[in-house]
Amino acid sequence: MKAVVNRIIPFSSVDGPGNRTAIFLQGCNIDCKYCHNPETRKLCVQCGVCVKQCPVGALSVGEDGKVVFEPSKCVQCDTCIHVCPHDSSPRTCEMTPEEVYARVKKQIPFIRGISVSGGECMLWPEFLTELFRLARKDSLGTLIDSNGMIPFEQYPELMEVSDGVMLDIKAFEASEHVKVAGVTNEMVLKNADYLARTGKLYEVRAVIVPDLYDTEKSIREMGDFLAPYLEYGDIWIKIIAYRPMGVREQYSHFQVPGQKYLAYLADILREKGFQNIILI
Ligand code: SF4
Ligand code: SF4
């Protein structure tokens, strides 16, 4: 079994607790306007557009018509992802859980665990299950970073080997969620309920884009919704300011909220009983 891997970051301190190896899988099932890594959204369709644009010849077309990437030649200029008309990247590769874990293993003395993100990593549940089994054998932590559009309840084997989920609640009201991500969020809230009740809701994340949806109302409603679950255990909340870096040009004009406003939103959540709120 293989997944398409966009990149592996050996050390990350922003993808869960402690130092972790972060693995980004390719492909997503929604379309967030503020997506910071839109090149992870789709699988490469081998159109070849990026090949001619690479300034150092790190891309070519193989005999099978597929794009070949030579990492040793790449100068990380990102031209290929900027010119790709399909929100993809030629710098991905298909890997088995064992191959990915072989890369993780090199970092074991220095990391507390692994976090898998995307794209949407829940599009690869069997791969995740196997990767987490391998990590657990070496006593590494295992976290999923997800948009919550796929029902976790349907993957008990994965939940068994996962420490928890860092779940996006992109907007609380369904119609507001549509504005952000193009789809409603009933499944996200169902997942939040399931994960909180089973002690697997490690963290909830909200990206604050005041120009895009009613952020204060959403944070208040999200707090009211989640507060009763605090009896099952602590829930970390990460409030993330929208920033235009990496965002597609047509969505890069939103105003960046100030730290003062984020602190105000955090106070709203503290009043509702949340102790651990991180502002980014
Ligand atoms: S990032 Fe690498 S592969 Fe892509 S265009 Fe630049 S040099 Fe070529
Ligand atoms: S990465 Fe994009 S531009 Fe390059 S071959 Fe794949 S789909 Fe085409």
Side-chain angles (χ1 to χ4, degrees):
M1 150 220 333
K2 289 186 175 184
V4 179
V5 178
N6 180 282
R7 65 187 182 278
I8 299 172
I9 298 179
F11 303 110
S12 167
S13 56
V14 294
D15 293 288
N19 211 10
R20 312 178 77 83
T21 295
I23 298 136
F24 294 80
L25 303 185
Q26 190 73 15
C28 190
N29 47 2
I30 58 176
D31 185 6
C32 299
K33 293 193 170 66
Y34 53 64
C35 182
H36 286 94
N37 44 9
E39 75 280 7
T40 64
R41 290 194 58 246
K42 298 277 172 64
L43 296 181
C44 171
V45 297
Q46 313 295 339
C47 70
V49 166
C50 58
V51 173
K52 292 185 205 84
Q53 303 292 327
C54 175
V56 293
L59 302 172
S60 57
V61 179
E63 281 177 11
D64 58 0
K66 290 187 176 175
V67 173
V68 178
F69 169 54
E70 289 180 74
S72 60
K73 290 185 181 172
C74 177
V75 294
Q76 310 288 335
C77 67
D78 285 351
T79 301
C80 49
I81 59 174
H82 292 139
V83 300
C84 175
H86 301 285
D87 286 350
S88 190
S89 165
R91 292 181 282 161
T92 59
C93 57
E94 287 187 24
M95 296 175 82
T96 63
E98 291 76 16
E99 287 166 337
V100 170
Y101 195 64
R103 299 267 297 272
V104 172
K105 247 180 148 40
K106 294 177 190 163
Q107 275 82 247
I108 283 183
F110 314 107
I111 58 171
R112 196 161 142 188
I114 61 172
S115 298
V116 188
S117 183
E120 171 51 43
C121 67
M122 280 299 290
L123 292 170
W124 309 91
E126 288 82 16
F127 175 93
L128 274 183
T129 307
E130 201 42 48
L131 178 63
F132 283 4
R133 277 189 188 131
L134 294 168
R136 280 266 175 113
K137 277 186 193 157
D138 286 325
S139 304
L140 289 176
T142 51
L143 284 174
I144 296 169
D145 177 355
S146 174
N147 62 30
M149 296 303 295
I150 290 174
F152 288 95
E153 207 161 0
Q154 285 182 10
Y155 298 96
E157 290 181 354
L158 172 57
M159 290 295 96
E160 184 69 33
V161 290
S162 168
D163 293 345
V165 175
M166 298 179 284
L167 182 75
D168 296 344
I169 296 186
K170 294 171 188 295
F172 188 77
E173 236 182 49
S175 61
E176 296 272 79
H177 198 272
V178 172
K179 284 186 206 166
V180 176
V183 290
T184 59
N185 62 351
E186 287 87 355
M187 181 51 68
V188 180
L189 301 183
K190 251 185 178 174
N191 271 325
D193 170 71
Y194 165 74
L195 294 169
R197 281 189 293 101
T198 53
K200 299 279 185 182
L201 186 57
Y202 174 74
E203 179 180 281
V204 169
R205 297 167 161 191
V207 177
I208 305 303
V209 199
D211 292 344
L212 189 55
Y213 68 101
D214 188 337
T215 50
E216 179 178 340
K217 183 166 175 279
S218 188
I219 289 292
R220 282 186 190 282
E221 291 172 346
M222 184 183 87
D224 289 340
F225 171 75
L226 291 174
Y229 296 106
L230 286 170
E231 70 173 273
Y232 294 94
D234 202 12
I235 302 170
W236 287 71
I237 304 212
K238 201 175 263 179
I239 298 179
I240 304 167
Y242 161 82
R243 292 177 182 86
M245 280 87 77
V247 172
R248 286 163 290 183
E249 205 184 332
Q250 65 268 38
Y251 302 125
S252 61
H253 59 283
F254 300 122
Q255 207 184 333
V256 177
Q259 284 298 309
K260 217 169 156 186
Y261 182 58
L262 298 194
Y264 169 69
L265 297 178
D267 284 342
I268 291 172
L269 292 169
R270 272 192 207 96
E271 277 168 21
K272 295 180 191 296
F274 297 91
Q275 303 293 325
N276 292 301
I277 302 164
I278 303 167
L279 307 183
I280 295 183

